[in-house]
Amino acid sequence: MKNNIVYFVVLVLVVSICSCNKNGGNSNDKEEKKDTLYNDNIQSTFFDAPFGSSKKDVIEKFEEHGFIVNKYTSTDALVHFQPSTGSRFTFGNMPWEMLDASFINDKFYHIRFMNASDDKASAIQTYEKVLSNLSAKYKMTNEEPSDTTCYRVSVGYSKQKRIVLVACYRYETISHTIMQGISLEYQDGSFANEVSDEL
């Protein structure tokens, strides 16, 4: 049941984030804004696996760091990991419940750290804490959500087509429970923009 919920969260999150930031990179004004933010050091290696690594290499590296693949909810393009011990792990000195890695043409281009809460106030508080930690490292830009399921979203852009994103949103589980999600995501657009050969 929890695995189905995790998979549903990922689908809802992708839709929410796309809706929240639907104009990102499509207008000249947005491109000019990105070019003035010089976040040249946005992280691109996670658990010793750099963006561009093959799925096989990412799985091996993540396993060395104590994660196992959830084969029931993973696909060719999206691999769900869980810690081999306990229900939580740490990244950026913060606890997380879920970890997803995304691939295009077998190249690692996106990673998502997620937490879930049944309380909106505590979810927003966690979002603010993650954003505060990121803001100490990167120049973050608050985006205006266009989707009512997305409460807050902030993005750090780099000239190397990498982004870091933190979002707070609500979603409905398969059992129709409304939950609040918090995600920290990194993406390398140089791989994300490649044409996939998948249907």
Side-chain angles (χ1 to χ4, degrees), residues 185-197:
E185 306 180 39
Y186 294 81
Q187 179 172 303
D188 190 324
S190 61
F191 298 109
N193 293 332
E194 290 186 5
V195 176
S196 175
D197 58 3

Side-chain angles (χ1 to χ4, degrees), residues 18-77:
C18 289
S19 298
C20 289
N21 196 25
K22 64 181 180 180
N23 294 323
N26 291 335
S27 71
N28 289 334
D29 290 341
K30 182 61 76 174
E31 288 301 322
E32 289 174 12
K33 188 175 184 181
K34 287 182 188 178
D35 286 346
T36 65
L37 294 181
Y38 299 112
N39 280 318
D40 294 335
N41 60 343
I42 289 179
Q43 188 166 340
S44 61
T45 299
F46 303 87
F47 308 112
D48 297 326
F51 282 139
S53 298
S54 70
K55 183 163 59 176
K56 179 178 180 289
D57 287 344
V58 170
I59 290 172
E60 287 177 358
K61 292 293 186 186
F62 282 29
E63 284 178 346
E64 290 173 8
H65 286 270
F67 295 96
I68 56 174
V69 175
N70 185 329
K71 295 180 181 177
Y72 299 105
T73 56
S74 296
T75 66
D76 286 340

